[in-house]
Amino acid sequence: MKSRFGARRALAVAAVTVGALLAGCGSDGSEGRHGPDCGASVDKPGGGHWTCTFVDDFHGDRLDPEKWVVQKTAVSGFRNNQECYGNEDNVVVGGGVLRLTARIEAAPFTCQDPAGPFVTQYTGGMVSTWKRFSQTYGRFEIRARMPDVKVAGIHSAIWLWPQDPAKRGGKPMAGEIDIGEYYSVYPDRVIPYVHYTPAAPDPSVTNNDCLVADPSAWHDYLLEWTPRTLTISYDGKRCLQHSWNPAAPLTRPAPFDQPFIIALTQALGVATTANRFDAAASPLPATMQVDRVRVWK
């Protein structure tokens, strides 16, 4: 978030190159021979129905490798704070739920990073649909519950990132859509944010008004993305609508005219924000749970 909220998320630290954020994670997968089934049909604004393109209800006892890849710091350099990504014990599927966990490990260890290894005692959990699934425009619905933490230091995110981040000039011009971020220092809300380089300052890219009575309970987080608008709703209530106006040399509908992937992250709070992780005060483990992910176009 920008400084007006005291918690600017730094999901890609300086050590992470734009092209490498989620790179090197695997080959393309498919949605199955007969296509995905999102359940009951959903009416499309203006008439007709959305067509289901991706669904995961997390049945079974493991992550579906044709739909998701586990994020690894050793490959991408991605980290939010001191946490290292790549331990599959931090990504667990069971009972119809995906659990992403940030935790303190029993002893310090060396985390491999393209920018140079570092010693830490913390791990995080993250998955994405990198090279498995991406889409331009549509309806993206994630049912999730945030960690039951109400003091600073824990950060959860439901977001979209370009399949090819270099296509529109790299970060931040290439764009990022944060459907919902939970900063545990603000336990009564989840915050949306549309990241790109606007032609002029525009406060409608985010707000601090999307109140959620209990983020640790199940809630539906929804993005409806058209060539003109990005609309984010929580539990059926609209909390942000943005019509973007990119800075030159881009022209609308760029940068939000290209395929984006889905990313789900359980991290530690960034050290330079009000939500910074404090080993003495921020409780671990912290787990974000995801009941389902469904996408239509």
Side-chain angles (χ1 to χ4, degrees):
M1 297 296 97
K2 291 190 181 294
S3 58
R4 62 187 287 215
F5 303 133
R8 174 72 168 97
R9 179 168 59 83
L11 277 175
V13 295
V16 183
T17 63
V18 170
L21 178 67
L22 294 167
C25 294
S27 60
D28 290 306
S30 67
E31 285 298 309
R33 293 194 181 105
H34 304 293
D37 181 6
C38 290
S41 63
V42 179
D43 293 336
K44 197 173 185 179
H49 304 283
W50 292 102
T51 299
C52 184
T53 55
F54 178 94
V55 61
D56 198 342
D57 293 321
F58 302 107
H59 298 312
D61 58 4
R62 70 185 185 102
L63 194 70
D64 187 340
E66 292 190 353
K67 296 179 178 180
W68 303 97
V69 61
V70 176
Q71 177 69 35
K72 297 180 179 180
T73 300
V75 174
S76 67
F78 178 94
R79 60 188 175 102
N80 209 44
N81 192 318
Q82 304 170 57
E83 75 274 26
C84 184
Y85 293 89
N87 186 344
E88 296 195 4
D89 291 342
N90 294 60
V91 179
V92 176
V93 174
V97 174
L98 166 67
R99 294 173 175 84
L100 303 174
T101 299
R103 62 163 58 95
I104 183 170
E105 301 297 336
F109 65 96
T110 299
C111 180
Q112 298 302 318
D113 186 329
F118 62 97
V119 176
T120 185
Q121 201 169 345
Y122 302 98
T123 53
M126 176 176 172
V127 297
S128 78
T129 60
W130 176 257
K131 291 191 175 181
R132 273 67 174 167
F133 172 82
S134 62
Q135 183 172 298
T136 309
Y137 312 130
R139 174 187 172 96
F140 296 72
E141 180 187 89
I142 297 91
R143 182 168 176 79
R145 59 192 305 176
M146 306 303 180
D148 189 12
V149 178
K150 297 177 173 61
V151 297
I154 303 302
H155 178 201
S156 310
I158 298 166
W159 52 298
L160 306 185
W161 178 260
Q163 173 73 27
D164 180 4
K167 185 175 181 180
R168 292 291 183 261
K171 183 181 176 73
M173 292 182 67
E176 176 183 326
I177 306 170
D178 297 330
I179 299 174
E181 296 183 274
Y182 179 62
Y183 300 92
S184 58
V185 71
Y186 307 124
D188 62 345
R189 67 201 64 204
V190 177
I191 300 175
Y193 206 123
V194 179
H195 293 272
Y196 68 109
T197 304
D202 187 344
S204 72
V205 296
T206 188
N207 66 61
N208 205 20
D209 305 322
C210 298
L211 301 182
V212 177
D214 181 6
S216 68
W218 291 111
H219 296 284
D220 294 323
Y221 299 93
L222 175 68
L223 165 70
E224 291 181 300
W225 171 15
T226 76
R228 297 185 59 84
T229 60
L230 292 161
T231 303
I232 294 172
S233 303
Y234 299 161
D235 296 329
K237 181 180 179 180
R238 179 187 298 175
C239 67
L240 180 145
Q241 185 170 70
H242 180 68
S243 298
W244 59 97
N245 179 28
L250 300 184
T251 58
R252 190 168 163 177
F256 301 106
D257 61 345
Q258 60 176 316
F260 276 55
I261 65 168
I262 304 166
L264 307 169
T265 307
Q266 182 52 64
L268 304 180
V270 179
T272 57
T273 70
N275 194 48
R276 61 186 175 275
F277 175 74
D278 181 344
S282 303
L284 291 176
T287 300
M288 179 173 73
Q289 300 180 59
V290 182
D291 177 57
R292 63 174 181 259
V293 177
R294 295 177 180 175
V295 184
W296 299 258
K297 71 175 181 179

